[in-house]
Amino acid sequence: MESIAKTEKQALEELSALKDQKSAEAFKNRYLGRKGLVSALFSGIASVPPEEKKAYGAALNELKTKIESALSAKLGSLAKDKPQNADAQLDVTMPGKGIRAGRTHVITQVMDEFIDIFLSMGYAVAQGPEIESDYYNFEALNIPAHHPSKDMWSTFYLENGSLLRTHTSPVQVRFMEKNKPPFAAIFPGKVFRRDAPDVTHLPVFHQVEGLAVGDKITMSDLKGTLSAFLKKMFGKERKVRFRPSYFPFTEPSAEVDVECFICSGRGCRSCKNTGWLEILGSGMVDPNVFKAVGYDPERVSGFAFGAGIERIAMLKYGITDIRMFFENDVRFLRQF
Amino acid sequence: MKIPFDWLKEIVEVNEPVQKVAEALSMSGTEVSSLTDSVIEVDILPNRGDCLSIRGVAREVCAALDKKMKPQKADIKESGEDVLKAASVEVQAPDLCPRYMARVIKGISVGDSPAWMQKRLLDAGVRPINNIVDITNYVMIETGQPLHAFDLNMLDGRKVVIRKARAGEKVVTLDGAERQLSADDLVIADANKAVAVAGVMGAGNSEIGPGTKDILLESAFFSPVSVNRTSKNLKIRTEASVRFERGADFEGVRSSLDRAAALIAELSGGSVLKGAIDVVSGSRKPAVLKLRLDRIAKVLGAEIPKTKAVSILANLGFALKDSGAELEVTVPSWRAADIEREIDLIEELARLWGFGNIAETFTYVRTESAEDDKVLSARNKERLLKQRLASLGFSEAKTYSMAGPALFKKAGIDMSSAVRIANPLIEDMTHLRTSIIPGLLEAAQYNLRHGAFDVALFETGTVFGKKDGATKEKHVAGGLLYGSVFKGIIEKDRIREDFYFLKGIVDDIFDLYGSCCVEYLPTTDHKISTGLGAEIFCKGEKIGFVGTVRQDIAAEFDMTRPVYVFEVNMDYLNSLQPDASKDLDLARFPAVRRDIAMYIPPGLTHREIEERIMTDGGSLVEAVELFDRYAGKDRTSLAYSVVYRSKDKTLTDEEVNFAHEKILSSLESGLKVEIRK
């Protein structure tokens, strides 16, 4: 009887130490096989005194059942732990497979962010042609021929006398011609300047302009709207300031600066040590622009603004060479 | 423009440190671009020609810091004969030269100007030349009025004629270049020859030299438009032309002339002849504007106290008459060019009162614009499209809208329909692009040269063309695939980037836009890819292309493996009205799949087989799916799954078998395929 107890103890210990199916198989053979330990004990029944034979047999049967059920439980738990994949040699450090997703362009992302903020303020979106006439690009915007203010935009002219728009403002004019105030809209798009590409210039870049016209729009609305926009775009703790400037199509005109978000206003290279970053040009729509589209400047007023998207993206990501946006190096594109 | 601080302080009574003055200037509209302890450099905007002078900036300081200008002294001592005996002036083009003044100074000696003047000129960024030229520059910088000195003895007939240039007339300007003039250009001439391009640059033939004894000193008001045009035509920009084209100070013509004449007499030993020649055409009355005080708040949304408004305008040199609700404002001569309307005055008030004093408000503007919905939905779709292409492994590129002959040639694209830029800047950008693909090929090449092995790019944007002289714009989406978009170990023969892979992506685009009528036809004469692609049509209109780039073209861009491209017209996609109706009656009975494998005769297309199965199978066929293609040495095998399903009941074996047999025999007899058993 002692040998039965001993075998039971030993079997259960070994069983709990089993790590896989294979060793479980070996265990089964060693204990429950035809020449296994349990069989050997059964064969030993012959040498047991007759009066103990019954009890001995019962104990052996019990041992057998115990080992069988413990083994089956162990096998069950081993099966659960077994990897689903037939490949037991799983190397979890190997690369995952599938499509290596690309990215939308950082300019697209910044532009969409810009647009979304104005959409949330109820602005409409309008687009227009990239090839424009002198009238829509300049004249209707109070920029007469032979006035030095026209030199603020270096312009590409085309073979037929038309030009590549230097800003999205012509879309504003077209929008005003087609709609009646009140309205508020933004005008995103590609614009062109006759500048050779260098660290800070591109002949093609992106702008978003905006325009709000109604019967009681004032400069304080301009300030409130653009301030709200800039705080959404750059953080609500950022200070915003408005500086007088000049654009032919607005009067008064204002440059809008945001507290430098690179140095938090302490002064750095990006803000030329001023603590401020110039982000938007803006102003109250000049009466001559309203006259050009047939509005009565005594009855309607409005504000307009515009920003270069590349500039914002450069500041936001610390990009110092504007040409990177058009190089299309995937090592650059993939980071956004 | 560089403003030496000590020079400024000579004109305006200011004790504040230079930083304070610079801050006040930049917050009131004069942008300070750099600052040292002794020099404030300002960027003068095109409307403020009056500020291209120490005096003009001083007036701004005066208004911004509420200071007073110091009185200007011009004690000119005249002597000798009357100026009219020494020289004469004839203005033949009064519209282009409404005022011309001249004085004659005799017996001067040309030499260096005094050290203090040279230092100030250098501080202001002007190179000293000789005392006479230096004085004209000095006075120009101080007052903003350009002046010019002629050697009187080199003027034939001692005469100055202001006239339009003669056709073909030439003049050698002070920079040594021979200039060809046109009849639009205004010149200063003597009895015989042009001696200056009016308001732009003098000529060598009357230049002040070491031997000059007597001079004629010019101070004039030239038409801004005329000077701007001539300066553009001749491509010369000078300190004088920049000031004249912004509008000089009509009244300042005399004071500047006298100031310069006095300095010349003092510093070069000459004597100023009696009197000044002054040829004025027409009369110039200062503009008197009405400023409605209630209008200020209507524009600004802020009240500026009347007393404050009055002091701002007075400090700027405006003369005011108070008539209750309005001010009558007389514009000083130096602001005649930019102050013409009430709004101009309101701007002056706003900038000097300070934008910071205007509160921030927000007015919601309800916009009802018909086109808005369309634009917005197109934008949203395009955003989705971009995200989808990015998910499929493509990164968004931005390439230039212009290209040069070299790129067109490299990409094998004919330039005849490309719009030409009349004033191109560089050779790579002489025309507008007619396709996005060459730019993408160039971008791919850039990446390969920088170590990339696989490149997948797309771009959406405008391409251009022309027809019968009119330019055209088209919005397109284009993509390029070179190598793989996959990561990790991919069973290479199960998914392969090839024509079909890219076509699948193009199909996705059409699916996104809800187009069902798209047809792919084999290309015959596509510029980039002969025979290895498909042109995409919808209702007979060509709307895109997908295919393999010709090997020789790919090689031009350093690509040795196949490169696949597509371009789709987005204007077409945006014009689609997607079918909003949904099929909600989903089949609830089980589907039965039967496969068909067949060898096909040469030339038979998938589409013909698919159509045949759909037609013959009738309403029982729910879908036909191609799942295998094997191209052997002499024949091609295709394998399809046909999905049978009814919406009304569970199909029996007999029903399916009947339909399937019908399809098999129709394929064999109608399309001559060999069914593989």
Side-chain angles (χ1 to χ4, degrees):
Chain A
M1 293 293 266
E2 256 171 56
S3 54
I4 294 181
K6 202 175 139 208
T7 306
E8 179 181 337
K9 191 168 173 263
Q10 184 189 337
L12 293 181
E13 267 170 19
E14 269 182 47
L15 192 62
S16 70
L18 291 181
K19 287 274 177 279
D20 53 32
Q21 199 96 26
K22 216 170 143 190
S23 51
E25 228 27 72
F27 173 88
K28 191 179 173 187
N29 283 335
R30 192 157 66 251
Y31 284 91
L32 304 175
R34 268 191 298 121
K35 291 176 180 167
L37 290 171
V38 177
S39 293
L41 287 173
F42 271 112
S43 321
I45 202 161
S47 58
V48 173
E51 66 278 15
E52 287 177 24
K53 268 194 173 127
K54 196 179 172 192
Y56 186 87
L60 259 183
N61 276 326
E62 198 184 328
L63 172 68
K64 195 181 173 196
T65 317
K66 246 186 198 165
I67 293 177
E68 272 170 355
S69 78
L71 176 64
S72 130
K74 183 72 188 179
L75 282 173
S77 80
L78 280 178
K80 240 183 273 165
D81 293 346
K82 198 184 133 185
Q84 294 296 304
N85 197 318
D87 182 5
Q89 300 297 308
L90 184 64
D91 178 354
V92 295
T93 66
M94 283 202 350
K97 60 186 174 185
I99 286 179
R100 185 192 308 280
R103 297 293 171 100
T104 58
H105 200 281
V106 56
I107 293 300
T108 298
Q109 293 175 24
V110 174
M111 198 141 159
D112 284 347
E113 192 184 346
F114 194 119
I115 292 169
D116 285 347
I117 295 173
F118 280 99
L119 288 179
S120 76
M121 296 189 198
Y123 278 60
V125 184
Q127 288 176 323
E130 293 176 12
I131 294 179
E132 268 295 358
S133 64
D134 196 84
Y135 176 79
Y136 282 107
N137 198 74
F138 292 119
E139 233 179 287
L141 292 159
N142 197 32
I143 309 165
H146 300 298
H147 190 277
S149 64
K150 206 169 172 173
D151 297 342
M152 291 169 88
W153 298 270
S154 43
T155 311
F156 280 118
Y157 288 91
L158 304 177
E159 53 181 308
N160 64 350
S162 53
L163 53 83
L164 292 174
R165 66 180 182 195
T166 59
H167 38 204
T168 59
S169 311
V171 192
Q172 298 196 31
V173 178
R174 291 176 182 278
F175 186 87
M176 285 192 275
E177 285 178 343
K178 269 184 269 172
N179 294 279
K180 290 259 164 292
F183 53 71
I186 44 169
F187 311 90
K190 224 176 237 181
V191 300
F192 305 84
R193 301 277 167 90
R194 192 171 175 272
D195 291 324
D198 66 24
V199 175
T200 53
H201 294 88
L202 283 175
V204 185
F205 59 98
H206 299 78
Q207 261 192 347
V208 178
E209 293 187 5
L211 172 71
V213 179
D215 55 357
K216 286 195 184 74
I217 305 275
T218 67
M219 185 128 184
S220 78
D221 291 325
L222 175 157
K223 282 190 66 179
T225 305
L226 297 183
S227 213
F229 160 71
L230 290 169
K231 282 167 192 279
K232 279 208 168 177
M233 190 93 186
F234 298 108
K236 59 178 184 297
E237 69 286 358
R238 293 280 160 240
K239 290 190 200 111
V240 173
R241 75 171 186 187
F242 295 78
R243 244 177 336 109
S245 187
Y246 167 75
F247 306 107
F249 30 76
T250 52
E251 187 153 26
S253 301
E255 297 279 3
V256 194
D257 299 342
V258 170
E259 184 189 25
C260 182
F261 42 78
I262 293 150
C263 62
S264 293
R266 282 186 297 273
C268 67
R269 234 181 53 176
S270 293
C271 61
K272 294 186 195 142
N273 280 314
T274 61
W276 296 93
L277 295 170
E278 197 178 299
I279 299 287
L280 295 157
S282 69
M284 300 302 293
V285 178
D286 193 285
N288 286 348
V289 175
F290 282 146
K291 281 184 201 158
V293 294
Y295 294 0
D296 178 357
E298 286 289 310
R299 302 179 66 157
V300 297
S301 57
F303 64 80
F305 57 88
I309 300 302
E310 276 78 359
R311 177 173 162 75
I312 293 178
M314 285 172 86
L315 292 170
K316 197 168 169 170
Y317 296 107
I319 297 162
T320 51
D321 187 340
I322 196 171
R323 289 171 297 192
M324 290 188 95
F325 295 120
F326 279 75
E327 267 169 8
N328 302 306
D329 192 317
V330 290
R331 293 169 300 175
F332 173 79
L333 298 176
R334 281 191 175 283
Q335 293 181 53
F336 296 95
Chain B
M1 166 158 194
K2 289 180 175 165
I3 309 289
F5 197 46
D6 63 333
W7 198 345
L8 185 76
K9 289 211 282 195
E10 203 173 276
I11 294 172
V12 60
E13 286 172 12
V14 59
N15 300 314
E16 279 78 356
V18 64
Q19 288 80 6
K20 180 102 194 288
V21 172
E23 171 75 10
L25 281 172
S26 74
M27 289 313 288
S28 62
T30 309
E31 197 173 315
V32 174
S33 55
S34 79
L35 181 65
T36 68
D37 288 340
S38 56
V39 178
I40 304 173
E41 188 167 4
V42 292
D43 282 342
I44 301 302
L45 295 159
N47 62 330
R48 293 303 303 275
D50 65 300
C51 282
L52 286 170
S53 65
I54 311 285
R55 181 157 281 277
V57 173
R59 276 190 299 258
E60 287 296 313
V61 172
C62 198
L65 293 170
D66 199 13
K67 301 289 173 186
K68 290 279 164 282
M69 296 285 276
K70 291 183 183 171
Q72 196 183 3
K73 48 175 185 179
D75 43 349
I76 187 161
K77 289 187 198 78
E78 299 178 344
S79 61
E81 57 182 344
D82 190 286
V83 65
L84 289 172
K85 294 211 168 99
S88 66
V89 170
E90 184 191 344
V91 177
Q92 289 180 1
D95 49 331
L96 303 188
C97 176
R99 185 171 197 185
Y100 194 96
M101 287 194 74
R103 276 187 180 275
V104 170
I105 303 142
K106 287 199 161 174
I108 57 148
S109 53
V110 176
D112 287 342
S113 52
W116 64 266
M117 180 176 279
Q118 292 201 20
K119 176 171 189 308
R120 279 201 174 166
L121 287 174
L122 286 168
D123 281 350
V126 177
R127 187 168 54 91
I129 293 169
N130 61 47
N131 51 0
I132 305 300
V133 175
D134 289 356
I135 289 167
T136 59
N137 282 332
Y138 185 86
V139 173
M140 173 182 74
I141 287 164
E142 184 172 282
T143 67
Q145 171 66 44
L147 303 165
H148 189 69
F150 297 98
D151 186 328
L152 181 62
N153 299 315
M154 291 167 91
L155 297 178
D156 295 346
R158 296 177 178 259
K159 190 176 176 184
V160 164
V161 182
I162 296 92
R163 59 165 169 82
K164 288 187 173 175
R166 301 191 178 102
E169 190 166 2
K170 284 177 186 156
V171 61
V172 178
T173 42
L174 283 172
D175 54 4
E178 187 183 72
R179 310 283 179 173
Q180 171 90 47
L181 303 173
S182 78
D184 281 338
D185 299 322
L186 188 68
V187 295
I188 312 298
D190 62 12
N192 297 312
K193 60 184 187 291
V195 292
V197 181
V200 179
M201 196 181 267
N205 57 18
S206 55
E207 188 181 1
I208 306 298
T212 302
K213 287 287 164 233
D214 307 327
I215 61 169
L216 180 138
L217 186 61
E218 162 199 292
S219 179
F221 184 102
F222 297 115
S223 145
V225 168
S226 162
V227 173
N228 179 271
R229 189 162 42 209
T230 297
S231 150
K232 287 245 164 69
N233 287 348
L234 300 181
K235 298 192 172 66
I236 333 179
R237 235 173 96 92
T238 60
E239 294 288 339
S241 73
V242 163
R243 286 169 174 82
F244 280 124
E245 67 184 11
R246 283 161 174 74
D249 174 2
F250 202 81
E251 299 306 323
V253 169
R254 176 182 284 275
S255 54
S256 297
L257 176 65
D258 288 353
R259 169 100 168 112
L263 277 171
I264 289 171
E266 185 191 330
L267 301 175
S268 78
S271 56
V272 182
L273 296 196
K274 274 184 194 145
I277 297 170
D278 187 2
V279 184
V280 180
S281 63
S283 64
R284 290 224 161 194
K285 285 210 187 101
V288 179
L289 305 174
K290 267 189 195 149
L291 173 59
R292 293 164 293 172
L293 293 169
D294 64 344
R295 189 73 192 161
I296 300 172
K298 274 187 187 150
V299 175
L300 302 181
E303 304 273 354
I304 299 179
K306 188 174 174 182
T307 51
K308 185 67 190 165
V310 166
S311 84
I312 288 170
L313 292 174
N315 276 341
L316 285 167
F318 292 86
L320 302 166
K321 212 173 108 190
D322 187 345
S323 41
E326 288 177 4
L327 291 176
E328 248 180 49
V329 184
T330 305
V331 179
S333 59
W334 60 83
R335 296 300 299 279
D338 83 303
I339 306 284
E340 298 171 303
R341 303 165 300 167
E342 183 183 52
I343 189 72
D344 302 327
L345 294 172
I346 293 175
E347 177 175 54
E348 296 299 294
L349 292 173
R351 71 184 179 88
L352 287 156
W353 191 54
F355 285 178
N357 290 323
I358 297 171
E360 293 186 358
T361 54
F362 183 84
T363 302
Y364 174 73
V365 183
R366 187 191 160 98
T367 306
E368 281 173 30
S369 149
E371 60 189 329
D372 180 43
D373 289 348
K374 255 168 66 187
V375 176
L376 204 58
S377 95
R379 274 202 71 82
N380 287 340
K381 275 274 173 62
E382 190 168 330
R383 210 184 272 197
L384 266 180
L385 168 69
K386 287 180 177 183
Q387 278 156 8
R388 186 168 295 195
L389 287 171
S391 306
L392 289 167
F394 291 73
S395 282
E396 186 185 4
K398 297 265 182 199
T399 65
Y400 291 121
S401 308
M402 306 82 131
L407 181 58
F408 277 93
K409 186 161 177 262
K410 241 170 109 176
I413 294 188
D414 170 36
M415 285 184 78
S416 63
S417 69
V419 179
R420 189 172 54 79
I421 295 172
N423 59 340
L425 200 57
I426 48 179
E427 262 180 47
D428 293 346
M429 298 186 186
T430 54
H431 289 72
L432 299 184
R433 65 180 175 190
T434 56
S435 161
I436 268 178
I437 292 170
L440 292 178
L441 285 166
E442 211 173 35
Q445 181 180 31
Y446 180 94
N447 278 291
L448 295 175
R449 288 188 173 169
H450 288 81
F453 188 68
D454 304 307
V455 184
L457 295 170
F458 76 94
E459 179 176 2
T460 68
T462 309
V463 297
F464 306 85
K466 61 182 175 190
K467 203 174 180 186
D468 308 325
T471 56
K472 292 189 305 177
E473 292 183 30
K474 192 166 72 175
H475 199 55
V476 302
L480 174 147
L481 175 61
Y482 182 70
S484 174
V485 293
F486 291 101
K487 59 184 177 185
I489 307 165
I490 294 291
E491 295 77 355
K492 294 295 178 202
D493 40 341
R494 296 207 57 194
I495 306 176
R496 198 167 58 203
E497 293 85 346
D498 57 6
F499 168 81
Y500 299 107
F501 185 80
L502 214 64
K503 185 185 167 189
I505 285 167
V506 175
D507 283 338
D508 266 359
I509 297 176
F510 289 122
D511 182 50
L512 180 69
Y513 280 84
S515 169
C516 55
C517 63
V518 170
E519 232 182 326
Y520 291 85
L521 298 178
T523 132
T524 46
D525 62 345
H526 192 274
K527 42 211 177 217
I528 290 179
S529 169
T530 308
L532 284 170
E535 244 136 10
I536 308 166
F537 285 83
C538 180
K539 294 179 185 137
E541 197 194 334
K542 199 193 287 180
I543 54 157
F545 166 80
V546 52
T548 317
V549 175
R550 236 166 57 197
Q551 229 169 28
D552 57 323
I553 293 174
E556 290 279 341
F557 293 93
D558 300 343
M559 286 180 263
T560 48
R561 293 171 283 154
V563 49
Y564 306 95
V565 292
F566 70 84
E567 190 164 274
V568 178
N569 183 345
M570 303 253 305
D571 291 332
Y572 158 77
L573 292 175
N574 285 321
S575 72
L576 293 173
Q577 299 284 340
D579 182 5
S581 69
K582 307 290 174 205
D583 177 11
L584 301 175
D585 181 21
L586 305 177
R588 285 162 207 286
F589 296 96
V592 179
R593 261 174 195 272
R594 291 283 163 86
D595 293 349
I596 308 172
M598 64 189 99
Y599 291 112
I600 57 168
L604 183 64
T605 64
H606 156 73
R607 203 171 144 191
E608 291 166 276
I609 297 167
E610 185 185 39
E611 272 173 3
R612 172 73 61 149
I613 297 173
M614 294 295 279
T615 315
D616 291 336
S619 62
L620 292 189
V621 175
E622 186 182 72
V624 181
E625 291 164 9
L626 174 68
F627 69 87
D628 189 41
R629 175 175 184 273
Y630 167 76
K633 221 167 43 195
D634 36 37
R635 53 186 183 170
T636 298
S637 153
L638 296 180
Y640 290 86
S641 274
V642 183
V643 180
Y644 295 93
R645 171 137 60 181
S646 162
K647 279 191 170 173
D648 310 317
K649 58 183 174 116
T650 300
L651 291 176
T652 63
D653 269 356
E654 290 72 39
E655 284 167 318
V656 174
N657 288 343
F658 183 78
H660 200 67
E661 284 306 322
K662 188 176 159 201
I663 288 170
L664 293 179
S665 65
S666 163
L667 287 171
E668 277 174 324
S669 62
L671 298 181
K672 308 289 177 226
V673 311
E674 183 192 324
I675 302 292
R676 295 171 69 183
K677 303 280 172 160

